Amino acid sequence: MIIRVMGEGQVEIAADDVAVLNELDSELESAIGADDEERFRVALHALLEKVRQVGKALPDDSLEPSELILPPADASIEEVREMLGDSGLIPG
């Protein structure tokens, strides 16, 4: 799975790592649903950090299509709320 993190570039995520990203995505959705800014910030940073840890960065000149787009670390709760689909930022 190819993921673009806005402002950071693309990373390739192994299928085995998607489940843990889904768990973090669920925490993020819960924080947004509760309109809890502090929990939102912690959850967003945890999700992005895990993507950085497990993802393999693609070269800047890579033209791979991104399957998912994640917000930057400084995104607001409203910006991320607008990006959420029916199944969160990371469907699965």
Side-chain angles (χ1 to χ4, degrees):
M1 171 182 292
I2 306 295
I3 296 177
R4 172 171 299 283
V5 178
M6 295 170 67
E8 295 184 30
Q10 289 181 302
V11 295
E12 184 171 6
I13 303 292
D16 294 346
D17 293 315
V18 173
V20 71
L21 295 179
N22 274 320
E23 289 175 25
L24 293 168
D25 185 38
S26 293
E27 292 175 26
L28 181 64
E29 284 184 85
S30 175
I32 291 170
D35 210 27
D36 185 330
E37 179 73 33
E38 186 176 334
R39 274 181 50 215
F40 161 76
R41 192 68 40 212
V42 169
L44 177 59
H45 284 263
L47 175 62
L48 294 175
E49 185 57 34
K50 183 55 80 174
V51 166
R52 292 180 196 112
Q53 285 176 0
V54 301
K56 176 185 163 205
L58 297 180
D60 289 338
D61 61 354
S62 173
L63 298 175
E64 295 291 323
S66 298
E67 296 172 59
L68 301 172
I69 299 176
L70 297 181
D74 63 352
S76 72
I77 197 168
E78 283 303 319
E79 290 169 325
V80 177
R81 184 177 280 127
E82 290 176 12
M83 292 180 74
L84 286 176
D86 290 339
S87 56
L89 291 172
I90 301 178

